[in-house]
Amino acid sequence: MPLLLLPRTLLFLYPKLKITKRPMATMGTTTAQPPRARLRGVVFDMDGTLTVPVIDFAAMYRAVLGEDEYVRIKAENPSGVDILHHIENWSPEKQRKAYDIIADFERQGSDRLQIMPGAAELCGFLDSKNIRRGLITRNVKAAVDLFHDRFSLSFSPALSREFRPYKPDPSPLLHICSAWEVKPSEVMMVGDSLKDDDDQATYGPWVACGKQAGAVACLLDENGRYDSPEYANVEFKPDFKVTSLREVHTLLEAHFDLSP
C-alpha cells in the first residue's frame, strides 16, 4: 500500500515544493444575482413610436409660424422647437388659427396612418405577461381613437392633447401610474424623442417626461439620429435605446421581472 504523506512531510522531503491553500467549497451555494426590477406597465408615445411618422413637421411649423419666424427660431434652436408650448402665450384668436393648421396636418397624416413594425407583436407579448399598456400623445383624441379602431389595439389610459399639462411635464405619466396603482419606477416609457425642443420626432419630449416622473425610459432611435454629438449633453438620458420595437421584447425579458 502506498504511503500517504501529510503536507509537512512533503515539504521536508521536497523543500522547493509549494502547496497552495484553496478555499473550501460550500455545497449547494451559487453566486447571488441582484434582483431584477419589477415591471408592471409600459407607456408608449404614438406618432413615430406606435405609428410610422407621416407628418411633415417642418412644413407644419412653417405654416403655423410663418417662414421668417420659423427661420429665426430654428437659428436659435437648431434641433427644433416645441410648437405646442410656443403658441401657448399667443392671443386666443391666433392660437385658434394655429391649432386649426396643426389639426389639418394631423388629419392628412391620419389618412396615411400605418402601424410601426413590431408594435402588434410587442403588445401581444405584454398581454401574455399581464403587463399593462398605456399611451401618451400630443396628438388629438380623434387620432387616438382612429389608431385604436384601425389596428384593433387598446391602450388604457390613452392620454391625448386634451390632457394638460403636456409632456415633458411628468403629470401625464403620474396620472397613468395612479390609475394603475403602481409606482413610476415599475413603469417603462417607450418613445422616439429625446430633447424638449425636438420638432422632428412628433413634437414630443418623451424621455424627459419619463425620467422626471421616476420611470424607466426607453428611446426608439431607428436611424441612430441621437448618436449625433449635439445630443451628448442632454439633461435627461434614456436608460435603454433600441432601433426597433422588436428589440423591446428581448430587452424586457433580459432586464426585468415580468411576473404578474
Side-chain angles (χ1 to χ4, degrees), residues 32-134:
Q33 296 293 326
R36 295 185 179 188
R38 188 179 184 188
L39 187 74
R40 303 180 66 188
V42 179
V43 179
F44 295 87
D45 187 15
M46 189 173 82
D47 304 281
T49 300
L50 291 173
T51 60
V52 178
V54 292
I55 296 175
D56 185 341
F57 289 101
M60 182 176 76
Y61 291 177
R62 283 187 169 92
V64 171
L65 300 169
E67 182 65 23
D68 292 343
E69 183 70 0
Y70 175 77
V71 171
R72 183 188 69 79
I73 293 175
K74 284 291 287 184
E76 295 176 356
N77 303 277
S79 61
V81 57
D82 185 334
I83 190 67
L84 295 182
H85 280 108
H86 186 81
I87 67 178
E88 278 188 335
N89 295 323
W90 288 6
S91 67
E93 178 63 19
K94 192 175 179 182
Q95 267 192 11
R96 184 189 62 77
K97 292 179 179 178
Y99 283 126
D100 286 346
I101 292 171
I102 292 171
D104 185 55
F105 273 86
E106 289 173 339
R107 279 191 294 270
Q108 295 176 44
S110 296
D111 293 339
R112 305 187 299 275
L113 193 64
Q114 302 176 54
I115 194 168
M116 187 70 81
E121 294 83 355
L122 177 56
C123 289
F125 170 74
L126 295 175
D127 290 347
S128 73
K129 298 292 184 180
N130 294 316
I131 303 295
R132 298 172 177 88
R133 292 187 276 116

